Amino acid sequence: MCEYCEYEGCGRKEHKGGEGYCIFHCDKRDFAEKEIKKFEKEFWGYFEERNLTEWSQESSPPGELDFRGFRFPTDFSFEGIEFKKAVDFRRAVFIGGACFKSAIFSSKVHFLGAGFEGRTTFENAEFKGKAEFAGTKFIEGSVSFKEANFEEANFTLSKFFNCTANCTETKFKGKANFGLAQFNGDVLFFKAEFNSKANFEGAKFIDCKADFRSARFCDSAKFVGDCFPSSASFYHSVFEQPKKVEFESMDLSNVSFLHCHGIENFRFVDENWNIKYGRNAVYDEIKLDKSKDKNYRLVEEVYRKLRLNYERNLRFSEAGDFYIGEMEMRRKNARVKNKIEYALIIFYNLASHYGESYLRPLYWMFGITFLFALGYAEFNSLNPFNFELGDIFRFLGYFGISMSVFFQMPPEYLPYTFAITLERLLGALFVALFVLALRRKFKKGGE
Ligand SMILES: [Zn+2]
């Protein structure tokens, strides 16, 4: 008695030893050479017939090339094949690798819920219709979309378990949706091009590097949720419409924005950076501390762009942090290249934390006037280390004199011209620093 395949809607004859399934739907793990030959013969026969038949509009079946649930033998190859019709690979299984190198998909292709295990390649493949990889699983191995062209790609909820993904120079002409995709294995988007919207909302790159170096985003880009718990690099990547780029609810402490074009106009919402000495610091600075290659200029550029971004968005506290970062990078760069600039920057930091603190100049003012008062008092044979009550009042008198010198007022007679000149100079300097820092604070609030 002839049995039929149990796969829903299949109706082909059961394969001998296929445990209730036809040759297309049965498990291939125990296949002998002969059976693989048989599979190939039958498959390509079916493929040719379907691929070449011109269906009239009315009689056209929904999935013209219907490979739903097919289980392909190891290393099955579609290299250079042109799929002239819409292809349906929904829930298909590719065990031990598959090759779609330079394949052409003339119409829509469905890999919804399909599974790939081992080494899979779509290198140079051309997807002329929508490519549905929603919920597709790539397991243990690698998948390459190197130099592939997508008209529109949907990778929503796709999973890459222990599988590296190579999208080097991949072109996404229409929307590229990686929403809720999970990557676990390094991912390369090196020089990838997103000509339309790129969506990474809820995507996660777990225990792996997300490499967007030199990638180009021509339209909006959305990175929402904790996408990059391990590390990500946007080195030299270009965002042509940065105002449409969002990084939301995200930990950016592992993300490099070195030389990234457009970062000054990104929208950052609910994001976290590294904390270094109590200020927000970018990953590139933290990395610089540990690396031998010290390119402070590039990190300074990241800070400058971020500062501009945050100032524009009225987030002055973080903008101040990034300004400090910017100055720190300048200081470190000057340490190697320009000693005078280095000394000035150090002074600027100590005196007013690069103009970010109006309290520091105040402390300095107090310290300086106090020290000069001590000096004036000692020269008038008052022993500062053996005070009596009367001496305290006398010292307060000198302190008052020191204050008036400091604030450029005429002192009572003092013979020490040099000390007075010096204190006056310091007075002018620190009053200026104080006023500048104060102005900076209020100007920020008023803008
Ligand atoms: Zn079947």
Side-chain angles (χ1 to χ4, degrees):
M1 197 178 89
C2 185
E3 295 287 339
Y4 292 94
C5 177
E6 287 171 25
Y7 194 87
E8 198 191 332
C10 175
R12 293 182 184 88
K13 275 187 199 161
E14 186 190 347
H15 174 62
K16 199 178 157 202
E19 294 183 347
Y21 293 101
C22 70
I23 187 142
F24 294 146
H25 288 114
C26 68
D27 199 343
K28 304 288 179 295
R29 282 179 212 265
D30 302 323
F31 256 32
E33 197 70 26
K34 221 171 99 187
E35 285 175 298
I36 291 175
K37 286 241 163 69
K38 188 187 169 207
F39 177 94
E40 286 182 347
K41 192 172 163 233
E42 289 193 18
F43 178 80
W44 289 115
Y46 171 68
F47 177 85
E48 292 299 333
E49 180 202 321
R50 285 269 170 150
N51 203 30
L52 296 177
T53 311
E54 288 299 328
W55 301 89
S56 68
Q57 211 62 14
E58 296 79 47
S59 63
S60 168
E64 293 176 15
L65 291 164
D66 182 0
F67 310 130
R68 271 177 297 172
F70 278 27
R71 302 174 80 92
F72 291 88
T74 301
D75 274 330
F76 200 78
S77 175
F78 288 93
E79 185 169 350
I81 293 293
E82 186 178 352
F83 297 85
K84 294 182 176 164
K85 312 281 168 61
V87 201
D88 199 340
F89 279 107
R90 268 181 281 185
R91 292 179 299 280
V93 178
F94 297 85
I95 294 164
C99 176
F100 287 88
K101 201 170 168 182
S102 306
I104 298 171
F105 297 90
S106 307
S107 184
K108 194 171 177 174
V109 56
H110 256 302
F111 282 99
L112 206 104
F116 292 88
E117 207 184 296
R119 194 171 168 273
T120 305
T121 175
F122 285 90
E123 268 177 48
N124 278 307
E126 183 99 31
F127 296 87
K128 293 183 177 170
K130 188 175 182 186
E132 273 292 357
F133 281 92
T136 305
K137 289 189 180 86
F138 298 90
I139 304 165
E140 307 285 342
S142 64
V143 53
S144 172
F145 291 98
K146 197 176 163 203
E147 292 175 41
N149 282 313
F150 284 95
E151 192 52 50
E152 189 182 338
N154 183 15
F155 281 86
T156 310
L157 284 162
S158 57
K159 287 189 168 66
F160 299 75
F161 288 119
N162 282 328
C163 179
T164 59
N166 184 355
C167 294
T168 301
E169 292 188 52
T170 306
K171 262 205 185 92
F172 300 92
K173 290 184 202 154
K175 274 190 263 175
N177 192 353
F178 287 87
L180 296 167
Q182 271 191 37
F183 298 93
N184 169 230
D186 293 346
V187 188
L188 261 179
F189 280 103
F190 180 63
K191 286 193 172 175
E193 237 181 85
F194 298 86
N195 290 325
S196 184
K197 291 175 186 167
N199 181 33
F200 285 86
E201 206 166 337
K204 258 200 158 66
F205 296 76
I206 304 160
D207 295 326
C208 64
K209 280 185 225 150
D211 188 341
F212 288 92
R213 281 175 307 144
S214 302
R216 182 174 285 273
F217 295 82
C218 304
D219 200 314
S220 66
K222 241 182 170 180
F223 297 88
V224 183
D226 216 350
C227 295
F228 309 117
S230 305
S231 87
S233 173
F234 288 91
Y235 178 76
H236 239 299
S237 55
V238 176
F239 292 84
E240 289 182 359
Q241 302 206 41
K243 287 186 176 163
K244 292 189 186 170
V245 177
E246 275 180 67
F247 283 83
E248 200 181 317
S249 307
M250 193 177 290
D251 182 5
L252 293 167
S253 61
N254 294 312
V255 182
S256 166
F257 287 109
L258 223 53
H259 224 315
C260 169
H261 297 239
I263 181 176
E264 63 275 26
N265 284 310
F266 288 179
R267 211 173 141 253
F268 292 108
V269 182
D270 184 25
E271 76 291 16
N272 289 312
W273 301 91
N274 291 286
I275 299 293
K276 188 179 175 187
Y277 304 130
R279 68 174 160 90
N280 285 294
V282 296
Y283 168 72
D284 296 307
E285 186 190 347
I286 307 292
K287 203 176 140 204
L288 206 64
D289 292 340
K290 295 172 193 158
S291 99
K292 278 182 188 162
D293 179 30
K294 308 276 189 195
N295 198 335
Y296 297 111
R297 282 272 175 228
L298 285 184
V299 184
E300 186 190 330
E301 182 196 308
V302 176
Y303 274 127
R304 185 166 45 250
K305 288 176 173 176
L306 283 175
R307 173 173 62 83
L308 286 171
N309 183 325
Y310 280 64
E311 277 174 358
R312 206 172 293 140
N313 288 296
L314 311 180
R315 297 174 63 180
F316 299 112
S317 154
E318 286 117 318
D321 285 359
F322 294 137
Y323 181 62
I324 292 168
E326 187 185 338
M327 290 305 290
E328 282 289 294
M329 292 305 104
R330 260 171 99 165
R331 175 174 68 78
K332 289 182 179 171
N333 190 50
R335 182 168 59 190
V336 192
K337 300 206 170 119
N338 184 340
K339 297 285 173 201
I340 296 174
E341 192 189 340
Y342 179 58
L344 280 174
I345 295 172
I346 286 193
F347 173 75
Y348 191 26
N349 180 18
L350 290 177
S352 70
H353 209 195
Y354 306 118
E356 287 300 316
S357 163
Y358 62 91
L359 283 174
R360 274 198 196 184
L362 274 185
Y363 298 145
W364 278 96
M365 286 173 177
F366 179 78
I368 290 166
T369 44
F370 187 84
L371 280 176
F372 273 87
L374 274 183
Y376 299 143
E378 202 182 24
F379 280 114
N380 280 290
S381 64
L382 181 110
N383 185 355
F385 302 106
N386 188 17
F387 267 18
E388 288 170 14
L389 193 62
D391 291 338
I392 291 178
F393 287 113
R394 270 178 67 204
F395 176 74
L396 282 177
Y398 284 110
F399 192 63
I401 292 168
S402 177
M403 291 275 269
S404 35
V405 171
F406 191 87
F407 290 108
Q408 325 291 328
M409 285 180 271
E412 291 171 39
Y413 173 74
L414 277 172
Y416 324 111
T417 352
F418 176 71
I420 290 175
T421 313
L422 185 64
E423 192 179 2
R424 287 216 160 121
L425 279 175
L426 288 171
L429 185 61
F430 278 92
V431 167
L433 283 169
F434 172 71
V435 171
L436 281 176
L438 207 62
R439 182 170 165 270
R440 196 182 176 97
K441 187 163 180 68
F442 283 108
K443 198 179 157 210
K444 281 174 184 174
E447 260 169 2

